[in-house]
Amino acid sequence: MAHHIPFFDYSREYEMIRNDITKAVDDVCRSGQLILGKQVKAFEEEFAAFTGAKFAVGLNSGTDAISLALMAFDIGHDDEVVTVANTAVATVSAIRAVGAIPRFVDVDPETLLLDVNKVAPAITGKTKAIVPVHLYGNSVDITALKAAVGSKNIAIIEDCAHAHGSKQSTKDLGTLGDIGCFSFYPTKTIGAYGDAGICITDNAELYSKLKKLRMYGFDGQPIANIEGRNSRLDELHAAILRVKLKAAPEFLKRRRDICTAYSQGIKNSHLKLIKTTAATQVLTNHLFVVRTSDRDGLMKHLEKHGIGFGTHYRYPIHLMPAYQFLGYKPDTLPATETNCNQVLSLPLFPTMTDTEVQHVIKTLNDFVPMKAATK
Ligand SMILES: *Cc1c(COP(=O)(O)O)cnc(C)c1O
């Protein structure tokens, strides 16, 4: 019997909210206002309220959110930015887009998050920012990170592309550092129907600078006060995202329930789960990841049983051809490199049925690696 469970699917969700989405699109198209109008403004206010941040600035992607956050601190050519190599290439390309140099630190082998203990030795006189990535929705301990940075003038720019709906202590991820950068790429925990992103901050000065940066450096008048670019969130995407945000509490809860079922149901000594950090108070997984030393075997097994999967992330960025000029050699980030060969992301989207979730769990529990587990 052919089960097919995709890795990600938005079409069922679309059917549930279709009336609201089509109405939102129609309203924008009939409004006579397609750029920076009332939808973007309303979505910014609603997303700020959702995260508990004071301000939000809608942008055209999560990549730009990181770039503009760096620009808001005047970070650019030859400045150094500490981050990790097991992230989306977007994190690194955003740093490079402003001319800064990424300095990679290794991750904790159990959580796969930035190893906060490795940050202090990576800081040089040129370090201007740290971009912790809240991978899979799990929280990098920002309080510990701040302690590692001490009184140095270094910005903390949180990559929250996986972190919608996760909290450290009582605060939403993205509100602990200086600026939180979110993506609404369609597969993200809250997704648009195209590219979109946002920066959140509590700092009024940074807020006003981010608004200029997304619009050619303009401040009211069409006169560039600072060098900016075009990175506006569209009215259409904002209107769609308002519908998605309204539906988010229910969908996020379902996502957490699926992950609880996975955590409790997956009982296979050949599979390791990702450890949740102590800093994480509420975990809303963007991805549910298992690790195995026979990932090729697990991929074949899942394919045979009609189960989609992803690998986040399969190729460590410091070893990619484009970034060879940074000078990193194999074995310089051992935990990062080992995990790239072991991680596999399971199907996870809120409209998965219980039957599908149980089929994934059973299939995983039936998995026997072909090669003996090393390590
Ligand atoms: C998706 C993603 C981004 C970038 O977002 P885009 O909207 O695709 O530009 C940045 N960092 C991480 C970790 C991501 O997963």
Side-chain angles (χ1 to χ4, degrees), residues 58-275:
L59 304 167
N60 70 12
S61 71
T63 308
D64 266 15
I66 298 168
S67 284
L68 266 58
L70 294 166
M71 289 168 79
F73 282 95
D74 294 316
I75 294 169
H77 191 63
D78 265 356
D79 292 332
E80 293 184 2
V81 176
V82 173
T83 192
V84 290
N86 69 328
T87 178
V89 174
T91 312
V92 176
S93 86
I95 293 168
R96 287 298 302 145
V98 303
I101 314 282
R103 288 289 171 224
F104 298 117
V105 297
D106 208 359
V107 295
D108 177 286
E110 295 307 317
T111 65
L112 311 197
L113 296 183
L114 171 78
D115 186 341
V116 175
N117 298 318
K118 299 219 159 83
V119 168
I123 291 175
T124 73
K126 289 182 166 188
T127 308
K128 295 285 161 58
I130 299 173
V131 179
V133 180
H134 297 299
L135 195 74
Y136 312 145
N138 209 347
S139 174
V140 175
D141 188 337
I142 301 293
T143 311
L145 182 61
K146 282 182 174 167
V149 170
S151 59
K152 296 187 198 76
N153 200 8
I154 293 175
I156 295 181
I157 293 170
E158 299 176 66
D159 182 337
C160 295
H162 294 193
H164 320 64
S166 283
K167 288 180 198 285
Q168 171 174 341
S169 68
T170 57
K171 298 195 79 184
D172 272 50
L173 298 187
T175 64
L176 294 127
D178 295 296
I179 301 179
C181 305
F182 291 79
S183 164
F184 302 111
Y185 182 78
T187 62
K188 300 286 153 94
T189 301
I190 297 174
Y193 292 163
D195 279 308
I198 207 164
C199 281
I200 58 172
T201 183
D202 283 346
N203 181 314
E205 225 172 286
L206 292 171
Y207 169 60
S208 123
K209 196 151 173 200
L210 286 165
K211 282 203 296 183
K212 292 179 204 171
L213 287 167
R214 75 166 166 196
M215 176 85 169
Y216 321 119
F218 290 178
D219 188 6
Q221 298 288 322
I223 300 167
N225 294 117
I226 55 171
E227 283 191 288
R229 38 166 108 160
N230 170 9
S231 181
R232 297 175 296 239
L233 174 65
D234 291 311
E235 283 286 285
L236 269 176
H237 287 308
I240 291 169
L241 280 165
R242 291 182 70 194
V243 176
K244 295 290 296 271
L245 190 61
K246 217 168 94 197
E250 185 195 327
F251 287 134
L252 264 54
K253 178 177 184 303
R254 174 66 185 157
R255 184 178 279 271
R256 287 191 291 268
D257 289 346
I258 293 168
C259 291
T260 303
Y262 277 161
S263 309
Q264 291 174 355
I266 298 169
K267 291 197 176 78
N268 181 334
S269 60
H270 304 296
L271 300 176
K272 275 206 292 181
L273 305 186
I274 305 296
K275 199 173 139 209

Side-chain angles (χ1 to χ4, degrees), residues 20-43 233-243:
D20 291 344
I21 299 275
T22 50
K23 182 176 180 307
V25 169
D26 189 53
D27 285 349
V28 171
C29 293
R30 299 176 85 178
S31 70
Q33 177 82 62
L34 299 178
I35 300 287
L36 295 188
K38 64 174 201 232
Q39 297 294 339
V40 169
K41 189 161 186 301
F43 178 63
L233 174 65
D234 291 311
E235 283 286 285
L236 269 176
H237 287 308
I240 291 169
L241 280 165
R242 291 182 70 194
V243 176

Side-chain angles (χ1 to χ4, degrees), residues 271-346:
L271 300 176
K272 275 206 292 181
L273 305 186
I274 305 296
K275 199 173 139 209
T276 304
T277 55
T280 309
Q281 189 68 34
V282 175
L283 173 61
T284 306
N285 275 88
H286 168 54
L287 298 168
F288 194 96
V289 171
V290 295
R291 288 184 285 170
T292 166
S293 52
D294 181 20
R295 184 173 59 191
D296 288 343
L298 181 58
M299 286 176 170
K300 288 203 191 91
H301 180 71
L302 292 175
E303 268 162 18
K304 198 173 107 197
H305 290 86
I307 295 173
F309 54 83
T311 46
H312 302 82
Y313 290 95
R314 200 166 176 181
Y315 305 103
I317 298 174
H318 65 297
L319 301 179
M320 289 186 183
Y323 298 109
Q324 285 311 293
F325 73 96
L326 293 169
Y328 290 87
K329 300 277 176 262
D331 298 330
T332 43
L333 303 173
T336 298
E337 293 166 40
T338 304
N339 276 299
C340 283
N341 295 321
Q342 299 189 342
V343 290
L344 182 137
S345 317
L346 301 180

